[in-house]
């Protein structure tokens, strides 16, 4: 019974302390910063959503066609490409898969070097040249990647970046069958890079591929194997817009690099 008066007194003291602490200001002078935020009363939710959509807007005059190609790629990836990749991973040991990826990556350094030279990137050109030499010789035709262990980073330069480096505009957005997002400039770059790779015919692979299409198929499967993107992974009904925006902005960053 003696403790009963003590409980109301304790509650009263705690309440008083909380009320006093509530008026203690932070170093910035605010006790509840959110209460002092001022919002634009003229910006309603609809305008906010419209502004967000405009931020994702990309020049896409062929959107109807691009969306059809996007849905084709989505279904082809789900029903054909990914099952093949899963089978490839199941029947092929990891060291063999890594060797295949290293081999094709080594071949890809040929157009990387050409485009790096065209963009006047001296240091990068030297690094790519060293990668080609080391991986082709010490890496046994590129099956291993000793250059990365030696501190030579992997670079990615294509003719689309070269055109952008010289100020060629990107043009309309374009969704390519199987290859995915692109634009008019980068599509022309893909054709040019293929012509360079075929013309140089490094290690006689390009010429051999024309006689043995299974090499081209293996290259495509390996490309999908090393690409982490999966259609539908954004879990958004606006995935088309997001892919279009991310691709466009990433290309700007690659060109500026």
């Amino acid at each position: 019974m003696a403790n009963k008066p003590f409980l109301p007194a304790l509650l009263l003291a705690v309440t008083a302390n909380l009320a006093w602490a509530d008026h203690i200001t932070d170093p910035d002078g605010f006790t509840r910063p959110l209460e002092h935020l001022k919002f634009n009363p003229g910006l309603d939710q609809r305008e906010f959503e419209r502004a967000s959509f405009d931020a994702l807007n990309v020049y896409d005059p062929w959107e109807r066609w691009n969306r059809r190609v996007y849905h084709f790629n989505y279904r082809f990836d789900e029903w054909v490409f990914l099952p093949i990749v899963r089978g490839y991973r199941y029947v092929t040991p990891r060291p063999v898969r890594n060797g295949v990826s290293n081999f094709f990556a080594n071949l890809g350094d040929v157009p990387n070097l050409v485009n790096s030279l065209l963009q006047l990137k001296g240091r990068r050109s030297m690094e790519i040249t060293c990668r080609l030499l080391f991986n082709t010789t010490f890496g046994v035709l590129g099956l291993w990647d000793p250059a990365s262990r030696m501190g030579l980073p992997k670079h990615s330069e294509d003719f689309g970046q070269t055109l952008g480096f010289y100020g060629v505009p990107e043009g309309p957005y374009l969704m390519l069958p199987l290859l995915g997002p692109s634009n008019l400039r980068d599509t022309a770059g893909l054709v040019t890079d293929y012509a360079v790779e075929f013309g140089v015919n490094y290690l006689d692979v390009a010429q051999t591929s024309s006689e043995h299409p299974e090499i081209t198929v293996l290259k495509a499967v390996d490309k999908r194997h090393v690409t982490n993107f999966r259609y539908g992974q954004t879990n958004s009904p606006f995935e088309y817009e997001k892919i279009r925006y991310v691709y466009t902005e990433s290309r700007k960053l690659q060109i500026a690099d």
Side-chain angles (χ1 to χ4, degrees):
M1 297 297 294
N3 292 333
K4 286 185 178 181
F6 175 74
L7 183 59
L10 178 62
L11 293 176
L12 182 61
V14 171
T15 303
N17 286 334
L18 290 177
W20 174 79
D22 190 52
H23 288 83
I24 297 178
T25 58
D26 294 330
D28 59 3
F30 296 108
T31 55
R32 296 188 180 93
L34 290 179
E35 291 184 355
H36 298 272
L37 291 179
K38 295 182 179 180
F39 297 93
N40 183 0
L43 183 62
D44 58 16
Q45 181 65 25
R46 181 176 300 179
E47 290 177 353
F48 177 78
E49 292 175 352
R50 186 184 302 114
S52 301
F53 180 78
D54 290 340
L56 297 177
N57 195 25
V58 175
Y59 181 51
D60 189 6
W62 304 323
E63 182 173 353
R64 178 176 295 183
W65 164 258
N66 287 333
R67 284 185 178 274
R68 291 178 179 176
V69 176
Y70 162 78
H71 286 293
F72 168 79
N73 289 348
Y74 191 113
R75 296 308 177 191
F76 184 88
D77 202 56
E78 179 182 10
W79 295 339
V80 181
F81 227 160
L82 290 182
I84 292 176
V85 169
R86 286 192 290 268
Y88 171 71
R89 291 174 176 174
Y90 181 78
V91 302
T92 309
R94 182 183 296 272
V96 177
R97 296 198 306 267
N98 292 340
V100 171
S101 299
N102 291 335
F103 178 77
F104 286 122
N106 188 52
L107 295 178
D109 274 338
V110 173
N112 285 344
L113 176 58
V114 173
N115 286 292
S116 184
L117 290 170
L118 290 175
Q119 296 175 48
L120 309 178
K121 297 178 178 178
R123 179 175 179 178
R124 184 164 298 187
S125 300
M126 293 179 61
E127 291 176 344
I128 297 175
T129 301
C130 292
R131 285 186 59 88
L132 270 170
L133 292 175
F134 292 151
N135 286 345
T136 303
T137 54
F138 303 124
V140 190
L141 304 181
L143 294 176
W144 287 275
D145 184 14
S148 294
R149 297 184 179 182
M150 298 171 65
L152 293 170
K154 174 70 176 176
H155 298 290
S156 179
E157 303 287 344
D158 56 67
F159 196 68
Q161 291 174 246
T162 301
L163 292 175
F165 176 80
Y166 287 101
V168 177
E170 60 193 25
Y173 178 76
L174 187 61
M175 178 68 71
L176 298 177
L178 304 183
L179 299 179
S182 183
N183 54 51
L184 197 59
R185 180 196 61 206
D186 292 345
T187 301
L190 285 174
V191 176
T192 304
D193 287 332
Y194 175 80
V196 169
E197 189 172 343
F198 189 84
V200 174
N201 195 26
Y202 190 59
L203 302 178
D204 198 37
V205 174
Q207 183 65 36
T208 305
S209 299
S210 62
E211 301 171 0
H212 297 276
E214 60 270 16
I215 297 178
T216 303
V217 173
L218 178 61
K219 183 178 181 180
V221 173
D222 172 72
K223 181 68 175 178
R224 192 66 188 96
H225 160 65
V226 300
T227 302
N228 293 325
F229 171 77
R230 296 293 183 267
Y231 287 97
Q233 67 181 4
T234 62
N235 195 28
S236 169
F238 304 105
E239 183 175 83
Y240 174 85
E241 289 83 1
K242 289 184 177 181
I243 293 174
R244 181 180 63 185
Y245 174 78
V246 169
Y247 174 80
T248 301
E249 294 302 313
S250 65
R251 292 298 287 174
K252 292 178 181 178
L253 294 175
Q254 290 171 353
I255 292 171
D257 181 21

